[in-house]
Amino acid sequence: IELLDNEFIKQSLEGVNVADIAAILDELNMDEAIYVLRLLDHSFAADILIELDEDSLVKVIREMDPIELAALIDEMESDDAADILILMPTKEREDVISNLQVKEKSANILDLLRYDEYSAGGLMAKEFIKANKNWNVIQTIEEIRRQAENVEKIYSIYVVDNRQHLLGRVSLKKIILASSDTKISDIYEPELISVPTHMEGEEVAEIMRKYDLESLPVVNAKNRLVGRITVDDILDLIREQSEEDIQAMTGISADIEESDSVFRISKARLPWLLIGVIGGLMGAKIIGLFEDGLSKYIALASFIPLVAATGGNVGIQSSSLVVQTLASKSVFNDTPWQRFIKGLMIALVNGLVLGAFVFSVVVFIYGFESIFGLTIGLAMFCVVLLASFMGTVTPLVLDKFGINPAIASGPFITTANDLLGLAVYFGVAMALLKL
Amino acid sequence: IELLDNEFIKQSLEGVNVADIAAILDELNMDEAIYVLRLLDHSFAADILIELDEDSLVKVIREMDPIELAALIDEMESDDAADILILMPTKEREDVISNLQVKEKSANILDLLRYDEYSAGGLMAKEFIKANKNWNVIQTIEEIRRQAENVEKIYSIYVVDNRQHLLGRVSLKKIILASSDTKISDIYEPELISVPTHMEGEEVAEIMRKYDLESLPVVNAKNRLVGRITVDDILDLIREQSEEDIQAMTGISADIEESDSVFRISKARLPWLLIGVIGGLMGAKIIGLFEDGLSKYIALASFIPLVAATGGNVGIQSSSLVVQTLASKSVFNDTPWQRFIKGLMIALVNGLVLGAFVFSVVVFIYGFESIFGLTIGLAMFCVVLLASFMGTVTPLVLDKFGINPAIASGPFITTANDLLGLAVYFGVAMALLKL
């Protein structure tokens, strides 16, 4: 589309928002995207690079040589730079870092790369404005001027003592409204929420949401201020994580989008579907064991889907409520024991209602004998209890082992619940119908 | 716990973050919470009130008299005030508004109450700082000083012309760094993203995320600046909506939390479970129709859960991908026709793989005749195709009718897919096995 007129491309992109340009480049092929990036000046191209899709980004940085990439990274804030470098193999990454012009930046980036990508340390940027509590407003404005180019958005100025311990914050509003010889120590707010570098991203997001913060200081183990997290990074994180949760729940293994290729989407979906299928095949074996009983009471087969589906639905409901509670890290949790009792009560209520309903329909509407109705109703009751229990316990166990508890609502657990449900169903049937 | 020492309560709450206090009050009973709120001064109590859980909030405002509540609402920003007033019956709401001291505020609130709660108009606050393009920096700082008490967080100053049309924004950083006689028209950034009052909250959130904004101006149909949305409100909205989506997917009808009562949680879950059960009972009827065939080929019963579960899993995967695409409002959608073809291709690939796998296991491992294996494999293939189709089309149709497409992944559709799967299964079996 655009092999010819460089000037035209440059002019038409001027003044367009970088996120929009990035969205266009995502759709172009890689050569075209790199061609456009090379046309633009470094600072503009760097801003666009940050906004690219991860897939396109990996392709683009693979094609660029280290010196070229270093020139772009020199224009970025340290957290964005680290997010890009983490996508490269170690060897190339070091090449790029050694080509950076600003030595302070390469130190900052190396520092950030040490942290887990989804911890507070991995989310933070090293660029922020801090003021010593002994400074006055004029000195602070000088510092803002000095850092103006590095720090794109200021939000708050963090106040530290001589040993870099975080004391509090002062808003730009206060700086503007104060007279120029006011001391920072007289106007700063000492009450300040900060997070340690090792805190998980999800928890950081919840803190920012709860306390309505747009930036959050990060401190190291010695309570020294080492960085700040801004709300735009958190918005990206929240979106990524809610997509991950939903994909985990629906058993899609990789991070895919509707625009990916047919083969890639199939590949991401098949593993979980196969687990479901293998579960189903095992279920067939279980039912096969009761074939004699089934041939005597052929109607038992009719209610297999009912029992299996109810077990699955109940399990998903229980687990999703637990996952939600885990995700929001509520402060006032009941003890595990109280939660267990409560889950049991809910399951008892639901199990009784559903069991009685099914019994009534089977006996009074479908006209089966009451012993048969009792079998189906009792099986329902047991399955609801069991599925609730599994649905409550599984995410808690997964969370304990550091696995995303959302997969508890996925096909794996649903399949396990189905199998358990079948076993319970035929167990009850054998006992009551004396098969 | 705290019937006695008022001074002690006041002192111990001083300096504690309002969100934390709100979390404590959520756990107290209503009388105690109101008692504490009355102890504190209006501005502090107002901040706490905003942070309360919706359940507690409704109880508290029901107990307070209009004059008392008006005193608190006088201390709030207009968007928070509107969020609280919208929870009250119309009659009481008017009582409170007529008791407000600040006339400008009651006009603002009445204005906000006109908008849908989840539209840009409903999310915005009327408090923000705007500067005329002809002002200089000194005049702008004067305006900031004048509004300092009303506007808690400034972020950006919006620049308007004499007719209140939005022209651009200028950051506080620029104001601080500019000399005092600089004209605003010389330093403002004309490139500015704004949204109309009627835009949906979800779309607003996506724009703020995409462009890394922390505040977003809202304009009316005449492009006049009427309010601004801040990122803290968006964080709350995103969390609410992702919880809603997950609850819709898992078939929990009301907004419940793990801390709600047993009865309330049961009530929220039962309707969807009942739908699943009714579906299962209908499934039993369908299977009953094939009872003669079943009694000849009793092994057919064994594979019922396999077919039903696969249909459910495939349907959930397809629908969740569509829901995700709908939610992120991707810019470069394929045409509906291309998407349909692509979905079909994915289903073909998955169906072939799963069908062949099931055929192999049934024939070579379980040792059934190959015609029986073919029946099960072909049924699998058909069910995968059908479930993909349903899973793709249903959320699109729901979205067209303005229903949250996430419920497409819920029990209702899963149940429908199960039933269709059963019908297809026995249809294939009848044809191939000549039952």
Side-chain angles (χ1 to χ4, degrees), chain B residues 102-398:
Chain B
V102 192
K103 286 305 149 205
E104 193 192 340
K105 181 154 290 168
S106 55
N108 280 341
I109 293 173
L110 283 171
D111 192 31
L112 289 182
L113 286 170
R114 287 190 300 122
Y115 298 105
D116 174 62
E117 198 185 347
Y118 295 108
S119 72
L123 288 164
M124 73 185 182
K126 304 287 271 186
E127 289 82 8
F128 56 90
I129 305 220
K130 65 185 171 196
N132 189 293
K133 75 172 154 80
N134 299 316
W135 291 358
N136 60 28
V137 167
I138 286 280
Q139 282 171 300
T140 309
I141 292 180
E142 269 315 306
E143 172 70 11
I144 296 174
R145 195 182 306 278
R146 206 174 62 76
Q147 297 267 7
E149 211 183 292
N150 292 326
V151 185
E152 202 196 339
K153 285 175 177 172
I154 294 185
Y155 303 111
S156 287
I157 294 153
Y158 297 115
V159 181
V160 294
D161 64 15
N162 293 331
R163 292 165 61 211
Q164 302 296 319
H165 287 167
L166 181 63
L167 296 175
R169 51 161 237 135
V170 57
S171 66
L172 278 187
K173 184 172 91 175
K174 279 216 174 140
I175 297 278
I176 289 181
L177 299 181
S179 65
S180 39
D181 54 355
T182 311
K183 275 234 184 181
I184 293 297
S185 54
D186 294 331
I187 54 171
Y188 83 89
E189 295 162 47
E191 180 212 331
L192 182 65
I193 293 149
S194 64
V195 296
T197 47
H198 57 76
M199 186 183 267
E200 266 176 59
E202 220 165 28
E203 222 168 316
V204 172
E206 182 55 21
I207 287 178
M208 291 189 93
R209 190 199 64 77
K210 184 173 167 199
Y211 297 108
D212 293 344
L213 304 173
E214 60 288 312
S215 77
L216 181 60
V218 181
V219 295
N220 66 13
K222 291 174 184 148
N223 196 33
R224 294 217 169 97
L225 181 62
V226 292
R228 70 155 185 182
I229 300 174
T230 52
V231 71
D232 49 328
D233 297 324
I234 289 298
L235 282 177
D236 292 339
L237 178 84
I238 290 176
R239 181 173 136 166
E240 250 177 60
Q241 288 195 327
S242 85
E243 279 179 8
E244 251 173 44
D245 279 356
I246 289 186
Q247 290 188 337
M249 282 177 67
T250 54
I252 298 176
S253 59
D255 179 26
I256 52 165
E257 281 162 45
E258 222 192 342
S259 57
D260 286 332
S261 74
V262 169
F263 181 69
R264 205 164 155 218
I265 299 183
S266 291
K267 217 179 83 186
R269 290 183 182 190
L270 267 175
W272 279 116
L273 289 179
L274 271 176
I275 289 176
V277 166
I278 292 170
L281 288 169
M282 284 161 63
K285 269 279 168 220
I286 293 180
I287 299 175
L289 297 177
F290 300 95
E291 213 163 76
D292 288 348
L294 258 181
S295 57
K296 274 181 232 155
Y297 252 106
I298 197 79
L300 272 179
S302 305
F303 294 92
I304 291 175
L306 170 66
V307 173
T310 306
N313 288 344
V314 169
I316 288 179
Q317 287 193 346
S318 308
S319 61
S320 76
L321 196 60
V322 176
V323 169
Q324 180 190 320
T325 309
L326 285 174
S328 64
K329 314 255 177 209
S330 304
V331 192
F332 295 93
N333 280 328
D334 300 335
T335 64
W337 188 241
Q338 284 172 309
R339 284 162 79 164
F340 177 76
I341 296 285
K342 193 165 173 182
L344 191 66
M345 301 274 289
I346 298 170
L348 277 174
V349 172
N350 285 350
L352 279 174
V353 172
L354 294 179
F357 177 74
V358 166
F359 172 82
S360 314
V361 172
V362 169
V363 175
F364 301 123
I365 301 184
Y366 288 4
F368 285 98
E369 316 154 46
S370 53
I371 183 73
F372 185 79
L374 194 65
T375 304
I376 309 286
L378 186 62
M380 281 294 283
F381 176 76
C382 294
V383 165
V384 170
L385 279 195
L386 194 70
S388 294
F389 176 76
M390 295 294 293
T392 308
V393 169
T394 320
L396 291 175
V397 171
L398 290 177

Side-chain angles (χ1 to χ4, degrees), chain A residues 116-138:
Chain A
D116 174 62
E117 198 186 347
Y118 295 109
S119 71
L123 288 165
M124 74 185 181
K126 303 287 272 185
E127 289 82 7
F128 56 90
I129 307 222
K130 66 184 171 196
N132 190 293
K133 75 172 155 75
N134 299 316
W135 290 358
N136 60 28
V137 166
I138 286 280

Side-chain angles (χ1 to χ4, degrees), chain A residues 15 17 19-20 23 27 51 141 144-145 148 151-155 172-173 175-177 191 193 206 209-212 214 231-232 235-236 238-239 243 246-247 249-252 256 258-260 262 265-266 269-270 272-274 276-278 280-282 284-285 287-288 291 294-295 298-299 301-306 309-310 313-314 316-318 320-321 324-325 328 332 339 342 345-346 349-350 353-354 357-358 361 366 380 411 418 422, chain B residues 15 17 19-20 23 27 51 141 144-145 148 151-155 172-173 175-177 191 193 206 209-212 214 231-232 235-236 238-239 243 246-247 249-252 256-260 262 265-266 269-270 272-274 276-278 280-282 284-285 287-288 291 294-295 298-299 301-306 309-310 313-314 316-318 320-321 324-325 328 332 339 342 345-346 349-350 353-354 357-358 361 366 380 418 422:
Chain A
N17 188 291
D20 293 325
E27 298 297 310
E51 298 286 336
I141 291 180
I144 296 174
R145 196 183 306 277
V151 185
E152 203 197 337
K153 285 177 178 173
I154 295 184
Y155 302 112
L172 278 187
K173 184 172 92 175
I175 296 278
I176 289 180
L177 299 181
E191 180 213 332
I193 293 148
E206 182 54 22
R209 190 199 63 77
K210 183 173 169 201
Y211 297 109
D212 293 344
E214 60 291 311
V231 72
D232 49 330
L235 282 177
D236 292 339
I238 290 177
R239 181 173 136 165
E243 280 179 8
I246 288 186
Q247 291 187 338
M249 282 177 67
T250 54
I252 298 176
I256 52 164
E258 221 191 344
S259 59
D260 286 332
V262 168
I265 298 182
S266 291
R269 291 184 183 189
L270 267 175
W272 279 117
L273 289 180
L274 271 175
V277 167
I278 292 170
L281 288 169
M282 285 161 60
K285 270 280 166 219
I287 299 176
E291 213 162 77
L294 256 183
S295 57
I298 198 77
S302 306
F303 294 92
I304 291 176
L306 169 67
T310 305
N313 288 343
V314 169
I316 289 179
Q317 287 192 346
S318 308
S320 76
L321 196 60
Q324 180 190 320
T325 310
S328 64
F332 293 95
R339 284 162 80 163
K342 191 164 176 183
M345 302 273 289
I346 297 169
V349 172
N350 285 350
V353 172
L354 294 179
F357 177 74
V358 167
V361 172
Y366 289 3
M380 280 295 284
D418 281 1
L422 284 176
Chain B
N17 188 291
D20 293 325
E27 298 298 308
E51 299 287 334
I141 292 180
I144 296 174
R145 195 182 306 278
V151 185
E152 202 196 339
K153 285 175 177 172
I154 294 185
Y155 303 111
L172 278 187
K173 184 172 91 175
I175 297 278
I176 289 181
L177 299 181
E191 180 212 331
I193 293 149
E206 182 55 21
R209 190 199 64 77
K210 184 173 167 199
Y211 297 108
D212 293 344
E214 60 288 312
V231 71
D232 49 328
L235 282 177
D236 292 339
I238 290 176
R239 181 173 136 166
E243 279 179 8
I246 289 186
Q247 290 188 337
M249 282 177 67
T250 54
I252 298 176
I256 52 165
E257 281 162 45
E258 222 192 342
S259 57
D260 286 332
V262 169
I265 299 183
S266 291
R269 290 183 182 190
L270 267 175
W272 279 116
L273 289 179
L274 271 176
V277 166
I278 292 170
L281 288 169
M282 284 161 63
K285 269 279 168 220
I287 299 175
E291 213 163 76
L294 258 181
S295 57
I298 197 79
S302 305
F303 294 92
I304 291 175
L306 170 66
T310 306
N313 288 344
V314 169
I316 288 179
Q317 287 193 346
S318 308
S320 76
L321 196 60
Q324 180 190 320
T325 309
S328 64
F332 295 93
R339 284 162 79 164
K342 193 165 173 182
M345 301 274 289
I346 298 170
V349 172
N350 285 350
V353 172
L354 294 179
F357 177 74
V358 166
V361 172
Y366 288 4
M380 281 294 283
D418 281 1
L422 284 177

